Every structure is written in C-alpha cells, then in structure tokens.
C-alpha cells in the first residue's frame, strides 16, 4: 500500500476526531495507526481481526500515548455473524477452557496458540522473571525453607496467573466492542484486507449508520468489480466509485521541471460509497410504525385546503 493510497482512504472515509469507526485490515496495523493519528485520541475505533488476535506491529511504531489507546477496541471476525444473528453471548468468547492450564503445567508444555499481542507481553514477563531468577540466588540464605520450591514451578504458576488475567481483560474488551457494534451506528467503515472483500463488506455494512462513507482497498480490481456488482444488487448504497490510485513524481528545478521517467507500477484500487436506508429496512414494520405517526399530520393539510376552497367558492 502506497502512502497516497492511504491518504485517499483517510479522506474518502471521512476520518476525523470524534468519529466511531470500524476497521478491518491485515496491514500489520498501518491503516489502524493512520486512523488513530488522524483522530487524535478522540472517538472510538473498533478493529476486527482474523485469527487469535490483532497484529499491531506498525501501530506500535507510531508511539502513541496511552490516552490514544482508551478508544481502541477489538473484536474477533469469526463472531460477527453471531452478532448479526443475535445469538452472540459472553460464553462464546471463552473459546479456551480454564481447566486446560493445569494439564499443560503437568506435561511441562506451554500453550502454543497465543495471540500476537499476548506473545509480546509474554516475552516481557519472561524476561523480567529470568532477570529476577538470576538475581535471586545471590540473596538465598542456606537452609531457608521458603526457597525449597523449584524456580520452574513458581515461574509456571506466575505465567498461568498472568495468562488468566490477560484472558479476562481481553474478554471484557470483546464485550465492550460487541456492545458498540450492537448499536449499529458507526460513522464509517474501512476495509484493507488480504481476504475477498465481498463477504466482509456485505456483513459489516449492517453496523454502519445511514449516510456514512465506506472505503475498500484491494491490490487487484477484479475482487472490487465483483463487490461493486453485489452492492448494486443488494442496494442500500449510493455514489459507488471504483478508482485506481496513480502517482507520478516530478522534478522541479529552474528550467528543468519535468515528470520523472520512472514511477510506481500501481498502488491498488479503491471502492468507495455511502450508505443509505435500504428497501428492506423500509419494509420493516417498526420503520413503518415510525413513519405512520406522521400520517395524521399529513392528512390535515388536504382537509384544511379543501375547506378553504369551499369557503372561497361560497
């Protein structure tokens, strides 16, 4: 992804402070970091991630303060369908049983399926424990009964407790993100993923409020053409536009300004548009009940006009 493509995504998506945005990206957190920088710590961002956890390697390079992370939420992509169907519950987030950790301790093996974010924290915790373990033998008093327990068991117990604490915190963050998504009033949607954009966009558009922009990035135009066709058939969107990002550098010198011969081969393609109230929502009885309350007020106008016409005729 080129920097001009990223700039167009931020512009077309109307990324600004105070927004409530949804992002689904597999660019190591580059798009997420750009959105956080544009919003300046105001508003909220819900990041949908595939797999075990979000990858934010590029986001960490921005050097954001802790205040920027308060509005950042995360939610697993495989739970989106259950959230749309109304079958989502807090029990679905506990994918790993809590009783499995003592078994792993007895076998002497640590769990291999860890999130990328947790793996970084594990390295920090393990490094701190190793440093503490190297300093403890210098202070050990011979014959002290408190040091009879092996260091490996203490480190494993601390690791298990720390891991359970992180899992509980992650579960709370997922519940907060589910509550925000359940409101279905997001101010925009950004998709820049290696997966096919059509099923992602069709499912995530239900969380976006009407009259809000959405932007989809793809390196190739064929998936976006299919996505364009599906959106036209589905309805609920307007101002669909499929564009190719094009960049060419210029040499600017006195009497020697000209475009450079070498340029980037391609910066990808962007599909953008705006959401509107679809026909299926208009057919909803609840929507009709809301509009039906205005019918008596509308019916008074023809009656008043008719009475005025009769008075003028008499």
């Amino acid at each position: 992804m080129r920097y001009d493509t990223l700039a167009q995504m931020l512009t077309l998506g109307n990324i600004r402070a105070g927004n409530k945005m949804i992002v689904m990206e597999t660019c190591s957190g580059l798009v997420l970091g750009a959105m956080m920088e544009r919003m300046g710590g105001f508003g909220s961002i819900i990041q949908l991630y595939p797999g075990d956890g979000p990858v934010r390697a590029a986001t960490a390079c921005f050097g954001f303060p802790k205040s920027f992370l308060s509005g950042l939420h995360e939610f697993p992509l495989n739970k989106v369908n259950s959230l749309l169907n109304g079958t989502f519950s807090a029990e679905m987030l506990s994918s790993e049983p809590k009783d499995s950790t003592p078994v792993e301790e007895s076998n002497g093996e640590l769990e291999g399926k860890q999130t990328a974010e947790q793996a970084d924290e594990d390295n920090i915790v393990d490094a701190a424990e190793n440093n503490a373990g190297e300093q403890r033998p210098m202070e050990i008093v011979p014959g002290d009964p408190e040091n009879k327990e092996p260091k490996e068991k203490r480190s494993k117990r601390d690791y298990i407790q720390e891991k359970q604490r992180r899992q509980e915190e992650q579960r709370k963050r997922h519940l907060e993100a589910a509550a925000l998504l359940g409101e279905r009033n997001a101010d925009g949607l950004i998709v820049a993923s290696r997966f096919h954009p059509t099923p992602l966009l069709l499912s995530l558009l239900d969380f976006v409020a009407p009259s809000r922009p959405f932007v989809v990035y793809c390196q190739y135009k064929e998936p976006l053409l299919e996505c364009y066709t599906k959106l036209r058939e589905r309805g609920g969107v307007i101002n669909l536009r499929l564009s190719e990002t094009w960049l060419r550098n210029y040499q600017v010198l006195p009497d020697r300004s000209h475009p450079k011969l070498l340029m980037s081969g391609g910066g990808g393609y962007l599909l953008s548009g705006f959401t509107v109230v679809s026909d299926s929502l208009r057919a909803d009885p609840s929507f009709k009940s809301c509009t039906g309350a205005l019918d008596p007020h509308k019916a008074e106008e023809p009656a008043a006009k008719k009475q005025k016409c009769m008075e003028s005729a008499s």
Side-chain angles (χ1 to χ4, degrees), residues 273-312:
F274 289 87
T275 59
V276 293
V277 179
S278 60
D279 297 335
S280 60
L281 183 59
R282 294 180 183 275
D284 192 1
S286 61
F287 183 80
K288 287 184 177 181
S289 62
C290 295
T291 57
L294 301 176
D295 292 340
H297 300 285
K298 293 182 180 180
E300 293 177 0
E301 295 181 0
K305 291 181 180 179
K306 184 177 179 180
Q307 183 179 1
K308 186 177 180 181
C309 294
M310 293 176 61
E311 291 177 356
S312 60

Side-chain angles (χ1 to χ4, degrees), residues 191-257:
V191 178
S193 172
R194 64 175 183 271
F195 304 110
H196 201 286
T198 302
L200 288 175
L201 186 61
L202 293 180
S203 59
L204 296 180
L205 279 179
D206 294 335
F207 298 111
V208 183
S211 301
R212 300 298 190 273
F214 64 90
V215 185
V216 184
Y217 165 80
C218 188
Q219 189 177 359
Y220 309 99
K221 64 179 179 181
E222 287 78 12
L224 292 183
L225 287 174
E226 180 181 352
C227 188
Y228 180 92
T229 305
K230 294 293 184 181
L231 287 175
R232 294 297 298 268
E233 296 175 357
R234 171 184 177 272
V237 294
I238 59 172
N239 197 21
L240 283 177
R241 186 177 65 174
L242 178 60
S243 59
E244 178 184 5
T245 58
W246 191 81
L247 176 67
R248 189 168 189 176
N249 295 324
Y250 279 76
Q251 172 183 300
V252 180
L253 293 173
D255 299 330
R256 287 175 291 171
S257 298

Side-chain angles (χ1 to χ4, degrees), residues 84-258:
L84 290 172
N85 299 331
T87 59
F88 176 78
S89 61
E91 289 75 10
M92 299 179 62
L93 296 176
S94 58
S95 59
E96 299 178 358
K98 296 182 179 180
D99 298 336
S100 62
T101 49
V103 177
E104 293 173 358
E105 181 182 1
S106 61
N107 295 333
E109 297 178 357
L110 299 178
E111 183 179 2
K113 295 181 180 180
Q114 299 175 346
T115 62
E117 182 181 2
Q118 292 177 354
D120 296 337
E121 295 178 357
D122 294 342
N123 295 332
I124 298 175
V125 173
D126 293 340
E129 291 177 351
N130 293 333
N131 294 333
E134 293 176 357
Q135 297 176 1
R136 284 173 185 170
M138 299 176 62
E139 301 177 358
I140 290 177
V141 179
D144 191 355
E146 296 181 356
N147 298 317
K148 290 182 180 180
E149 187 178 4
K151 294 185 296 182
E152 295 181 357
K153 291 185 178 180
R154 289 201 303 268
S155 62
K156 287 181 180 179
R157 187 190 304 110
D158 295 340
Y159 171 80
I160 292 171
Q161 293 177 356
E162 182 68 17
K163 181 180 177 182
Q164 292 177 353
R165 183 186 63 82
R166 288 197 303 267
Q167 288 179 351
E168 185 64 23
E169 292 179 355
Q170 186 181 26
R171 180 174 173 273
K172 292 180 181 179
R173 292 197 301 266
H174 288 172
L175 291 177
E176 293 177 359
L180 292 176
L181 289 174
E183 297 175 358
R184 302 194 179 191
N185 59 352
D187 295 322
L189 172 64
I190 304 293
V191 178
S193 172
R194 64 175 183 271
F195 304 110
H196 201 286
T198 302
L200 288 175
L201 186 61
L202 293 180
S203 59
L204 296 180
L205 279 179
D206 294 335
F207 298 111
V208 183
S211 301
R212 300 298 190 273
F214 64 90
V215 185
V216 184
Y217 165 80
C218 188
Q219 189 177 359
Y220 309 99
K221 64 179 179 181
E222 287 78 12
L224 292 183
L225 287 174
E226 180 181 352
C227 188
Y228 180 92
T229 305
K230 294 293 184 181
L231 287 175
R232 294 297 298 268
E233 296 175 357
R234 171 184 177 272
V237 294
I238 59 172
N239 197 21
L240 283 177
R241 186 177 65 174
L242 178 60
S243 59
E244 178 184 5
T245 58
W246 191 81
L247 176 67
R248 189 168 189 176
N249 295 324
Y250 279 76
Q251 172 183 300
V252 180
L253 293 173
D255 299 330
R256 287 175 291 171
S257 298
H258 62 82

